[in-house]
Amino acid sequence: MSTVIREGKLALHFAEGCQAVKWDEQAWYRDSNALGSRIKGMDVVAIGPDGQHWWIELKDCLGYETENLPRLTAADPVQVQTVNTWLKDNQLDQLVCAKRKKLFIGDELLEKLVGTVAGLAAAARQASQDARAQEVAAFAAAPTPGCTWSIALLLGGESREFKRMAGRLKTKLDQRLHAFGVSCYVVNETVAAPQQPWTVERVAS
């Protein structure tokens, strides 16, 4: 039986034989003060029928393209640079710094990947004592030697320049996540990663 995971107006249909869960809805993540309230996590963790691990982040930009544009650019907005220059000129930069309100998507993905690694490592250690941890412990194998591990950023919405934008973002993701030895992909409803074990459907609210 196939698995369907929904995030907003996007539904991911996983092929038969996949294990897939919405990470932030798992009891181990949600009910633990040490996890859910303090670290961020990927939207979906999955294992394909071939044993390949997929961690997926979904961002539906349809209708919010303008608002999301700054998140797709690595450079800080000029306003951040202006404020930091003012702080430095007034000798306040040792106490205060300005940061963008919403992280560049590559930095956000790195933060979520690290949080998910930590959460699943904790689950693997506690699986013999906690049923909530046991439910997700299988996904903890992704960072271990010998596992094929891929990270997919799914950007929902229409963009005439998606392939160019996706190529630029993939380069940034490859740079930021290099230490983890993962394969990075930027996909949408029509552009898929090699051997991707899911399809995407846009559904009504």
Side-chain angles (χ1 to χ4, degrees):
M1 178 180 250
S2 61
T3 301
V4 180
I5 293 179
R6 182 168 170 177
E7 174 74 11
K9 294 182 178 180
L10 296 176
L12 274 60
H13 296 260
F14 286 87
E16 188 173 351
C18 285
Q19 299 179 61
V21 297
K22 200 164 184 293
W23 173 238
D24 61 3
E25 291 183 355
Q26 300 310 296
W28 173 248
Y29 175 85
R30 187 187 63 235
D31 299 343
S32 174
N33 289 332
L35 297 178
S37 64
R38 288 179 175 82
I39 64 174
K40 295 184 178 180
M42 302 289 292
D43 287 324
V44 177
V45 292
I47 305 172
D50 57 356
Q52 181 170 346
H53 286 251
W54 291 88
W55 291 9
I56 309 161
E57 181 67 15
L58 295 94
K59 297 293 180 191
D60 189 4
C61 301
L62 186 63
Y64 302 94
E65 289 82 1
T66 301
E67 294 90 329
N68 280 285
L69 190 59
R71 304 181 72 184
L72 305 180
T73 305
D76 284 337
V78 65
Q79 294 90 337
V80 171
Q81 300 172 28
T82 300
V83 172
N84 280 326
T85 299
W86 182 89
L87 290 168
K88 184 176 182 180
D89 291 344
N90 288 273
Q91 300 180 343
L92 297 171
D93 56 313
Q94 297 300 312
L95 299 173
V96 182
C97 69
K99 294 182 180 180
R100 58 200 297 173
K101 188 172 183 179
K102 291 189 176 181
L103 290 175
F104 166 56
I105 190 68
D107 295 329
E108 181 183 355
L109 201 58
L110 173 58
E111 189 176 82
K112 289 190 170 189
L113 185 148
V114 170
T116 306
V117 168
L120 286 172
R125 287 183 60 85
Q126 297 295 328
S128 63
Q129 304 175 43
D130 191 314
R132 299 171 303 174
Q134 189 173 10
E135 290 174 351
V136 298
F139 300 104
T144 61
C147 274
T148 305
W149 184 19
S150 296
I151 306 297
L153 171 60
L154 197 165
L155 293 176
E158 299 177 1
S159 173
R160 295 177 181 177
E161 299 187 353
F162 178 80
K163 288 187 177 180
R164 181 186 301 176
M165 177 182 66
R168 187 171 63 247
L169 286 174
K170 174 176 166 47
T171 298
K172 296 293 184 183
L173 292 180
D174 287 338
Q175 292 170 350
R176 281 163 170 74
L177 307 184
H178 175 74
F180 291 90
V182 297
S183 298
C184 299
Y185 302 100
V186 181
V187 300
N188 66 3
E189 291 100 314
T190 58
V191 176
Q195 298 179 308
Q196 173 181 305
W198 73 86
T199 58
V200 187
E201 176 190 14
R202 184 165 292 278
V203 294
S205 318

